[in-house]
Amino acid sequence: MDKMMVTRGQRAFLCLLVILLLFSAQPLEAAPGAEGIIIHVVERGETLSVIASRYGTTVDAIVQANGIANPNLIYVGQRLTIPAQGTVAPEESYVVRLGDTLGGIAHRFGTTVSAIAQANDISNPSLIYPGQRLIIPPGVQQPSELPTPTQVHVVRPGEYLSQIARLYGTTVWALAVANDLANPSLIYPGQRLVIPTRSATLPFPISAVEFVPPRVAQGHTLLLRVRAEGEVSLAGSIDGQSLTFTGAGGEYWALAGFPPWSEPGAHPWSIVATDNQGRSVEASGYVLVTAAEFPIQYIDLPPEREGLLDPELVQAEWARVKALFVQVTPSKLWRGRSLVPVEGEVSSVFGTRRSYEGGPVASYHMGVDYAAPEGAPVVAANSGRIALAEELTVRGGTVIIDHGLGVHSGYFHLSGIAVVPGQEVERGTLIGYVGSTGLATGAHLHWEMRIGEIGVDPTEWTARAIPE
Ligand SMILES: [Zn+2]
């Protein structure tokens, strides 16, 4: 109940925020009026030089147009007349912030250290200081020509979203949407922001790269769709996780899992497309991971099972199942939506943070637990081939099903097993019986889904067909 209230409250706040942002963004986006002028409403943290460079004009021109006595004294909400463009050459400038290097600045503006050093008469490029205003000479390489469809900005101490927006020629609104920010004034140093670009350029023959959903929550499954002009073979990775592509005729897809502990923010992806002539092109960018909430559970084990927490034992068993999870059968064996494999109430959701025996909250629950009576039938969530069917120490009676393309499901703590390794099963085939074997406090089924070695929320697989 409390959770619902919070959600509703946040939504109401977000709606209000949307309205505020639209209003404050309007003057920035407004086309020059009949008189050829633009009105700019000063935002927090802005200086005249920043505003001048935003509109391709100069501080002097704004000072003159507005009769400003002291250029250092402008205030938030002040309405400034921006003189018509074209009378002065657009000159980009940048005010150095703590932690900036000339190399970093040059990279951001698509120019070189020596070009900036020359334009600003800097003899020693390692001696720049916060607050210093640098003239940025025209770039040697325009950002629009870069092959990456998106960029990432790491927030520095003291930076505002409005400053970052200006830095990349985008708007606060676009940044808030791209990064799923509920409150644009709450960004923090070190946060990785996706910088949306107006026109992403993908190298031929890659014509589209799409993510479903567009932003993935911690602990969830991401579908990556790639379209190409003609037949290609694809390889790639997200966050260092290699992708297994399937498809033909220019339409391809792959899945990636994001563990509950993946950092919210931008995560890099890259794909290489090779045509039948052996020519390869690469595309890369970032996908946004959003924060999800995971409850905390404190668990007391019966004394005779405490020994099962022995780290060496846990590690050795994990190594064994992980070796299965990372195996990739090249074809897709599952079909459509998965079944909930047992009848019963959820007793522990995916991602629950766990403390055993009053110890630290050191682990995440990598599956869903269903409370069910001992002996209740457990069925295959989807079709595939049995990869493992035996009694393990920590997981107890265990069945692992290989669904192809690196996707596996696991069923633990079983009291009995009804399948053998290598057996092909259909969605709904009986595979075993609920029990409390291994590291369990009572009769239940622990069910998990893995993409490679990454555990993802299995309930997402029962809610919709992946891919749809
Ligand atoms: Zn469990």
Side-chain angles (χ1 to χ4, degrees), residues 310-327:
D310 174 10
E312 262 180 52
L313 203 87
V314 171
Q315 275 306 313
E317 193 177 297
W318 166 239
R320 172 128 192 251
V321 295
K322 179 181 155 180
L324 292 174
F325 289 149
V326 298
Q327 277 178 26

PDB file of all heavy atoms in Angstrom, residues 310-327:
ATOM      1  N   ASP A 310      29.367 -22.406   3.397  1.00  0.00           N
ATOM      2  CA  ASP A 310      30.823 -22.416   3.239  1.00  0.00           C
ATOM      3  C   ASP A 310      31.190 -21.847   1.865  1.00  0.00           C
ATOM      4  O   ASP A 310      30.819 -22.406   0.832  1.00  0.00           O
ATOM      5  CB  ASP A 310      31.317 -23.866   3.389  1.00  0.00           C
ATOM      6  CG  ASP A 310      32.811 -23.996   3.081  1.00  0.00           C
ATOM      7  OD1 ASP A 310      33.479 -22.947   2.951  1.00  0.00           O
ATOM      8  OD2 ASP A 310      33.281 -25.141   2.985  1.00  0.00           O
ATOM      9  N   PRO A 311      31.928 -20.704   1.854  1.00  0.00           N
ATOM     10  CA  PRO A 311      32.188 -20.020   0.584  1.00  0.00           C
ATOM     11  C   PRO A 311      32.845 -20.900  -0.478  1.00  0.00           C
ATOM     12  O   PRO A 311      32.523 -20.782  -1.658  1.00  0.00           O
ATOM     13  CB  PRO A 311      33.127 -18.870   0.972  1.00  0.00           C
ATOM     14  CG  PRO A 311      33.042 -18.752   2.438  1.00  0.00           C
ATOM     15  CD  PRO A 311      32.532 -20.034   2.987  1.00  0.00           C
ATOM     16  N   GLU A 312      33.734 -21.788  -0.051  1.00  0.00           N
ATOM     17  CA  GLU A 312      34.417 -22.646  -1.036  1.00  0.00           C
ATOM     18  C   GLU A 312      33.444 -23.584  -1.732  1.00  0.00           C
ATOM     19  O   GLU A 312      33.496 -23.781  -2.945  1.00  0.00           O
ATOM     20  CB  GLU A 312      35.514 -23.463  -0.349  1.00  0.00           C
ATOM     21  CG  GLU A 312      36.886 -22.836  -0.517  1.00  0.00           C
ATOM     22  CD  GLU A 312      37.970 -23.647   0.151  1.00  0.00           C
ATOM     23  OE1 GLU A 312      38.056 -24.867  -0.118  1.00  0.00           O
ATOM     24  OE2 GLU A 312      38.722 -23.063   0.953  1.00  0.00           O
ATOM     25  N   LEU A 313      32.524 -24.089  -0.938  1.00  0.00           N
ATOM     26  CA  LEU A 313      31.503 -24.994  -1.454  1.00  0.00           C
ATOM     27  C   LEU A 313      30.592 -24.254  -2.437  1.00  0.00           C
ATOM     28  O   LEU A 313      30.301 -24.722  -3.534  1.00  0.00           O
ATOM     29  CB  LEU A 313      30.672 -25.476  -0.255  1.00  0.00           C
ATOM     30  CG  LEU A 313      29.924 -26.766  -0.404  1.00  0.00           C
ATOM     31  CD1 LEU A 313      30.861 -27.906  -0.015  1.00  0.00           C
ATOM     32  CD2 LEU A 313      28.717 -26.763   0.521  1.00  0.00           C
ATOM     33  N   VAL A 314      30.177 -23.056  -2.015  1.00  0.00           N
ATOM     34  CA  VAL A 314      29.284 -22.228  -2.838  1.00  0.00           C
ATOM     35  C   VAL A 314      29.968 -21.895  -4.163  1.00  0.00           C
ATOM     36  O   VAL A 314      29.383 -22.010  -5.224  1.00  0.00           O
ATOM     37  CB  VAL A 314      28.884 -20.945  -2.065  1.00  0.00           C
ATOM     38  CG1 VAL A 314      28.142 -19.968  -2.960  1.00  0.00           C
ATOM     39  CG2 VAL A 314      28.037 -21.309  -0.845  1.00  0.00           C
ATOM     40  N   GLN A 315      31.248 -21.510  -4.079  1.00  0.00           N
ATOM     41  CA  GLN A 315      32.017 -21.137  -5.271  1.00  0.00           C
ATOM     42  C   GLN A 315      32.187 -22.304  -6.240  1.00  0.00           C
ATOM     43  O   GLN A 315      32.022 -22.156  -7.442  1.00  0.00           O
ATOM     44  CB  GLN A 315      33.404 -20.609  -4.868  1.00  0.00           C
ATOM     45  CG  GLN A 315      33.419 -19.132  -4.515  1.00  0.00           C
ATOM     46  CD  GLN A 315      32.832 -18.270  -5.621  1.00  0.00           C
ATOM     47  OE1 GLN A 315      33.152 -18.428  -6.790  1.00  0.00           O
ATOM     48  NE2 GLN A 315      31.926 -17.367  -5.248  1.00  0.00           N
ATOM     49  N   ALA A 316      32.529 -23.453  -5.678  1.00  0.00           N
ATOM     50  CA  ALA A 316      32.784 -24.623  -6.522  1.00  0.00           C
ATOM     51  C   ALA A 316      31.513 -25.012  -7.277  1.00  0.00           C
ATOM     52  O   ALA A 316      31.550 -25.331  -8.472  1.00  0.00           O
ATOM     53  CB  ALA A 316      33.281 -25.788  -5.673  1.00  0.00           C
ATOM     54  N   GLU A 317      30.393 -24.965  -6.572  1.00  0.00           N
ATOM     55  CA  GLU A 317      29.134 -25.339  -7.226  1.00  0.00           C
ATOM     56  C   GLU A 317      28.738 -24.311  -8.282  1.00  0.00           C
ATOM     57  O   GLU A 317      28.265 -24.643  -9.365  1.00  0.00           O
ATOM     58  CB  GLU A 317      28.017 -25.506  -6.187  1.00  0.00           C
ATOM     59  CG  GLU A 317      26.809 -26.201  -6.777  1.00  0.00           C
ATOM     60  CD  GLU A 317      25.709 -26.455  -5.756  1.00  0.00           C
ATOM     61  OE1 GLU A 317      25.950 -27.206  -4.785  1.00  0.00           O
ATOM     62  OE2 GLU A 317      24.620 -25.873  -5.916  1.00  0.00           O
ATOM     63  N   TRP A 318      28.971 -23.033  -7.957  1.00  0.00           N
ATOM     64  CA  TRP A 318      28.671 -21.966  -8.928  1.00  0.00           C
ATOM     65  C   TRP A 318      29.505 -22.152 -10.202  1.00  0.00           C
ATOM     66  O   TRP A 318      29.002 -22.035 -11.315  1.00  0.00           O
ATOM     67  CB  TRP A 318      28.895 -20.588  -8.301  1.00  0.00           C
ATOM     68  CG  TRP A 318      28.940 -19.478  -9.321  1.00  0.00           C
ATOM     69  CD1 TRP A 318      29.969 -18.628  -9.548  1.00  0.00           C
ATOM     70  CD2 TRP A 318      27.912 -19.112 -10.259  1.00  0.00           C
ATOM     71  NE1 TRP A 318      29.659 -17.758 -10.572  1.00  0.00           N
ATOM     72  CE2 TRP A 318      28.396 -18.032 -11.035  1.00  0.00           C
ATOM     73  CE3 TRP A 318      26.630 -19.591 -10.539  1.00  0.00           C
ATOM     74  CZ2 TRP A 318      27.670 -17.417 -12.055  1.00  0.00           C
ATOM     75  CZ3 TRP A 318      25.897 -18.986 -11.557  1.00  0.00           C
ATOM     76  CH2 TRP A 318      26.413 -17.908 -12.298  1.00  0.00           C
ATOM     77  N   ALA A 319      30.778 -22.499 -10.023  1.00  0.00           N
ATOM     78  CA  ALA A 319      31.660 -22.703 -11.180  1.00  0.00           C
ATOM     79  C   ALA A 319      31.087 -23.782 -12.099  1.00  0.00           C
ATOM     80  O   ALA A 319      31.117 -23.653 -13.319  1.00  0.00           O
ATOM     81  CB  ALA A 319      33.056 -23.089 -10.711  1.00  0.00           C
ATOM     82  N   ARG A 320      30.533 -24.804 -11.480  1.00  0.00           N
ATOM     83  CA  ARG A 320      29.976 -25.919 -12.250  1.00  0.00           C
ATOM     84  C   ARG A 320      28.735 -25.482 -13.041  1.00  0.00           C
ATOM     85  O   ARG A 320      28.622 -25.745 -14.239  1.00  0.00           O
ATOM     86  CB  ARG A 320      29.634 -27.048 -11.275  1.00  0.00           C
ATOM     87  CG  ARG A 320      28.894 -28.147 -11.904  1.00  0.00           C
ATOM     88  CD  ARG A 320      29.474 -29.521 -11.678  1.00  0.00           C
ATOM     89  NE  ARG A 320      28.782 -30.402 -12.606  1.00  0.00           N
ATOM     90  CZ  ARG A 320      27.887 -31.310 -12.224  1.00  0.00           C
ATOM     91  NH1 ARG A 320      27.640 -31.505 -10.935  1.00  0.00           N
ATOM     92  NH2 ARG A 320      27.279 -32.046 -13.132  1.00  0.00           N
ATOM     93  N   VAL A 321      27.777 -24.794 -12.407  1.00  0.00           N
ATOM     94  CA  VAL A 321      26.566 -24.395 -13.140  1.00  0.00           C
ATOM     95  C   VAL A 321      26.856 -23.257 -14.116  1.00  0.00           C
ATOM     96  O   VAL A 321      26.288 -23.201 -15.205  1.00  0.00           O
ATOM     97  CB  VAL A 321      25.379 -24.028 -12.203  1.00  0.00           C
ATOM     98  CG1 VAL A 321      24.919 -25.222 -11.408  1.00  0.00           C
ATOM     99  CG2 VAL A 321      25.705 -22.889 -11.278  1.00  0.00           C
ATOM    100  N   LYS A 322      27.791 -22.394 -13.739  1.00  0.00           N
ATOM    101  CA  LYS A 322      28.151 -21.293 -14.633  1.00  0.00           C
ATOM    102  C   LYS A 322      28.705 -21.825 -15.956  1.00  0.00           C
ATOM    103  O   LYS A 322      28.401 -21.301 -17.034  1.00  0.00           O
ATOM    104  CB  LYS A 322      29.185 -20.396 -13.945  1.00  0.00           C
ATOM    105  CG  LYS A 322      29.645 -19.218 -14.792  1.00  0.00           C
ATOM    106  CD  LYS A 322      30.680 -18.402 -14.065  1.00  0.00           C
ATOM    107  CE  LYS A 322      31.566 -17.663 -15.051  1.00  0.00           C
ATOM    108  NZ  LYS A 322      32.571 -16.856 -14.367  1.00  0.00           N
ATOM    109  N   ALA A 323      29.491 -22.900 -15.864  1.00  0.00           N
ATOM    110  CA  ALA A 323      30.062 -23.498 -17.072  1.00  0.00           C
ATOM    111  C   ALA A 323      28.949 -23.945 -18.029  1.00  0.00           C
ATOM    112  O   ALA A 323      29.119 -23.899 -19.247  1.00  0.00           O
ATOM    113  CB  ALA A 323      30.954 -24.682 -16.693  1.00  0.00           C
ATOM    114  N   LEU A 324      27.798 -24.323 -17.480  1.00  0.00           N
ATOM    115  CA  LEU A 324      26.658 -24.695 -18.326  1.00  0.00           C
ATOM    116  C   LEU A 324      25.968 -23.446 -18.878  1.00  0.00           C
ATOM    117  O   LEU A 324      25.613 -23.379 -20.051  1.00  0.00           O
ATOM    118  CB  LEU A 324      25.635 -25.505 -17.519  1.00  0.00           C
ATOM    119  CG  LEU A 324      26.050 -26.901 -17.075  1.00  0.00           C
ATOM    120  CD1 LEU A 324      24.987 -27.500 -16.172  1.00  0.00           C
ATOM    121  CD2 LEU A 324      26.271 -27.789 -18.298  1.00  0.00           C
ATOM    122  N   PHE A 325      25.780 -22.457 -18.007  1.00  0.00           N
ATOM    123  CA  PHE A 325      25.068 -21.230 -18.404  1.00  0.00           C
ATOM    124  C   PHE A 325      25.748 -20.507 -19.569  1.00  0.00           C
ATOM    125  O   PHE A 325      25.096 -19.887 -20.398  1.00  0.00           O
ATOM    126  CB  PHE A 325      24.946 -20.259 -17.220  1.00  0.00           C
ATOM    127  CG  PHE A 325      23.991 -20.711 -16.149  1.00  0.00           C
ATOM    128  CD1 PHE A 325      24.205 -20.359 -14.814  1.00  0.00           C
ATOM    129  CD2 PHE A 325      22.856 -21.462 -16.452  1.00  0.00           C
ATOM    130  CE1 PHE A 325      23.323 -20.751 -13.821  1.00  0.00           C
ATOM    131  CE2 PHE A 325      21.961 -21.862 -15.461  1.00  0.00           C
ATOM    132  CZ  PHE A 325      22.203 -21.507 -14.139  1.00  0.00           C
ATOM    133  N   VAL A 326      27.073 -20.575 -19.618  1.00  0.00           N
ATOM    134  CA  VAL A 326      27.775 -19.809 -20.662  1.00  0.00           C
ATOM    135  C   VAL A 326      27.844 -20.555 -21.999  1.00  0.00           C
ATOM    136  O   VAL A 326      28.314 -20.009 -22.989  1.00  0.00           O
ATOM    137  CB  VAL A 326      29.199 -19.367 -20.220  1.00  0.00           C
ATOM    138  CG1 VAL A 326      29.112 -18.443 -19.016  1.00  0.00           C
ATOM    139  CG2 VAL A 326      30.090 -20.557 -19.940  1.00  0.00           C
ATOM    140  N   GLN A 327      27.347 -21.796 -22.007  1.00  0.00           N
ATOM    141  CA  GLN A 327      27.338 -22.522 -23.286  1.00  0.00           C
ATOM    142  C   GLN A 327      26.212 -22.002 -24.165  1.00  0.00           C
ATOM    143  O   GLN A 327      25.114 -21.743 -23.697  1.00  0.00           O
ATOM    144  CB  GLN A 327      27.163 -24.019 -23.025  1.00  0.00           C
ATOM    145  CG  GLN A 327      28.501 -24.653 -22.692  1.00  0.00           C
ATOM    146  CD  GLN A 327      28.387 -26.118 -22.374  1.00  0.00           C
ATOM    147  OE1 GLN A 327      27.469 -26.796 -22.836  1.00  0.00           O
ATOM    148  NE2 GLN A 327      29.327 -26.608 -21.590  1.00  0.00           N
TER     149      GLN A 327
END
